[in-house]
Amino acid sequence: MPIQQRRSPLILTATWLALIAGFTLVPLPSQLAQAAATPWYCVVCGNQGMVDVLLNIALFVPLGLGLGWLGLRPPRALLAGLTLALAIELLQAKLVTGRDPSLSDVLTNSFGTFIGAALAAVAPGLWRPSVASARQLAIGAALGWLALLGLTGWLLTGDAAAGATRLVQAPAMPFLDHFNGSIEASEARERFGSHALSATVVTAGLTDRLAPVLELRDARRFALARLGQLGQKPVFSWRLHATRVLLRTPTVRVYGGVLPDTATRAVLEGGKAGPVLWAAGTIAGQRHEARLALTPGLGWMLLLPLNYPFDLHSPWTSALWLSLPLLLVGFWAGRARMRLALLLAGAALLMLAGLEGVAVVFHLARDGALAWGVGLGVVVGGWAWGMRREA
């Protein structure tokens, strides 16, 4: 490969190596206890282990792309990723404080490098496909997008309780704070399919991590619902299928009114009403509430890095998450020389099935006109891009 053509993949590879070092070799003293409790041989570790697995794979995909474009075939790129992953784990074990080296990191990082190199190998066929191949790719991308929304719909539905439920006050949980205040009264309510927890408490100051106040548990001792205090904020979460497969669980935090750092009497509440999660705190006679509607566009929330808050949620974030895969549909439709009118009709039917159909089937809220507008705009933009590409 001429040096001019090697420059871009070299820059990508070097830049991503630096980013990987920043993500993996920065000490985290606050996580010493958690790191010590994580066995090195685990593959899917902890209550949100699948998030860690998927993010570790994704972290090394760009490195694999760079290596593939430099000429390394997927097997050799896999070996390079394995060597780098082992070096990182050894450094974490011996020198970097608060990190938890594990077999999972080695396997997922290596696999991510392999995926990136494999993508680099097939990239020319994806970037400049024939008309027939482009048509197949557009159909495949559309079906993949629809499958992604269907999976999101299933993940955002509630996980059924096993047996009878019971309310547990201030449970002690590993890696969570213990609620040291007093609980004067607590209640679990269910009416017409809506569920709510409430507790009248006297707080004991602020918490560093989540301190559960109430948990609604089933016969498996799984928490179906959790009401708690996180720092100054009342929080609520409901167990979903996403929780079962070790992804993130959407959590509602109340920001309107905050708990003070002194002992304070407050009423904490949270619940699930249809496709809406809500949490509330009544402090000094004033009630403050936060709500989160579960829609097909919230799949990105399930993949957030560990401990990253859900509070960045906005209609624009969900619209972009929904629309970016549609860019490929439009691009390959353009490469297939599809007429714009036919594309718009197909895209409208696709989005009707994905946005409206998934919401109906899984009893979710709808993403609204913004998702429709951005999605159709991205499809048209991708089509224009594909039409202008040279064959």
Side-chain angles (χ1 to χ4, degrees):
M1 180 186 295
I3 187 63
Q4 293 84 357
Q5 297 180 14
R6 294 172 63 91
R7 185 174 301 161
S8 295
L10 278 172
I11 292 174
L12 172 62
T13 303
T15 301
W16 212 260
L17 281 172
L19 287 173
I20 287 173
F23 280 122
T24 60
L25 297 179
V26 174
L28 297 174
S30 61
Q31 296 187 12
L32 271 172
Q34 186 171 348
T38 304
W40 68 266
Y41 51 82
C42 73
V43 176
V44 182
C45 314
N47 293 333
Q48 297 171 7
M50 189 55 66
V51 177
D52 197 35
V53 166
L54 296 175
L55 292 178
N56 272 326
I57 292 173
L59 178 62
F60 274 64
V61 168
L63 175 64
L65 280 170
L67 294 175
W69 285 332
L70 285 171
L72 266 70
R73 294 185 177 182
R76 291 195 175 186
L78 175 64
L79 181 60
L82 175 62
T83 303
L84 177 61
L86 286 171
I88 290 172
E89 300 309 298
L90 287 174
L91 288 172
Q92 288 181 346
K94 300 297 183 182
L95 297 177
V96 185
T97 306
R99 294 290 187 165
D100 51 341
S102 67
L103 177 63
S104 175
D105 292 347
V106 174
L107 296 176
T108 53
N109 294 163
S110 305
F111 186 52
T113 311
F114 178 83
I115 290 176
L119 287 174
V122 301
L126 301 177
W127 186 240
R128 293 184 177 87
S130 66
V131 171
S133 295
R135 188 179 299 115
Q136 294 174 355
L137 288 169
I139 294 173
L143 294 177
W145 181 82
L146 192 59
L148 176 65
L149 263 68
L151 176 61
T152 300
W154 179 79
L155 290 171
L156 289 176
T157 55
D159 191 17
T165 60
R166 63 189 181 94
L167 199 59
V168 180
Q169 295 186 351
M173 302 292 295
F175 310 120
L176 299 181
D177 282 357
H178 185 264
F179 182 70
N180 292 317
S182 60
I183 301 175
E184 297 179 349
S186 62
E187 182 184 13
R189 304 187 300 273
E190 180 180 355
R191 185 179 181 185
F192 302 125
S194 297
H195 305 264
L197 302 182
S198 65
T200 302
V201 303
V202 177
T203 65
L206 306 184
T207 64
D208 294 324
R209 296 172 295 184
L210 172 64
V213 175
L214 294 178
E215 283 190 354
L216 184 65
R217 293 183 175 179
D218 65 5
R220 300 169 298 185
R221 297 175 59 94
F222 287 162
L224 297 175
R226 177 180 287 163
L227 179 68
Q229 176 188 351
L230 177 60
Q232 296 178 301
K233 300 174 285 294
V235 298
F236 177 81
S237 62
W238 185 267
R239 182 178 173 86
L240 306 173
H241 285 138
T243 319
R244 176 185 288 271
V245 298
L246 307 183
L247 295 174
R248 291 290 300 271
T249 301
T251 301
V252 185
R253 308 184 186 195
V254 180
Y255 281 87
V258 298
L259 298 166
D261 57 3
T262 56
T264 303
R265 192 174 188 273
V267 178
L268 309 182
E269 300 172 277
K272 183 177 185 296
V276 177
L277 299 179
W278 61 273
T282 303
I283 306 160
Q286 292 189 336
R287 189 175 189 271
H288 306 270
E289 183 174 327
R291 301 169 70 86
L292 174 65
L294 302 178
T295 73
L298 293 186
W300 63 274
M301 297 179 69
L302 308 178
L303 301 174
L304 289 174
L306 302 184
N307 301 322
Y308 205 76
F310 291 97
D311 310 304
L312 297 179
H313 168 65
S314 75
W316 278 101
T317 312
S318 293
L320 290 174
W321 163 266
L322 290 168
S323 301
L324 287 178
L326 295 176
L327 181 66
L328 296 176
V329 177
F331 175 75
W332 284 320
R335 294 296 295 163
R337 299 297 183 259
M338 183 180 292
R339 293 182 179 180
L340 181 58
L342 180 60
L343 173 64
L344 285 174
L349 288 175
L350 175 66
M351 295 183 69
L352 181 66
L355 299 181
E356 306 298 326
V358 168
V360 170
V361 170
F362 293 101
H363 307 290
L364 301 178
R366 289 170 171 79
D367 282 285
L370 180 63
W372 274 87
V374 174
L376 290 174
V378 167
V379 169
V380 172
W383 174 84
W385 184 26
M387 290 289 287
R388 293 187 179 187
R389 289 291 309 164
E390 295 181 2

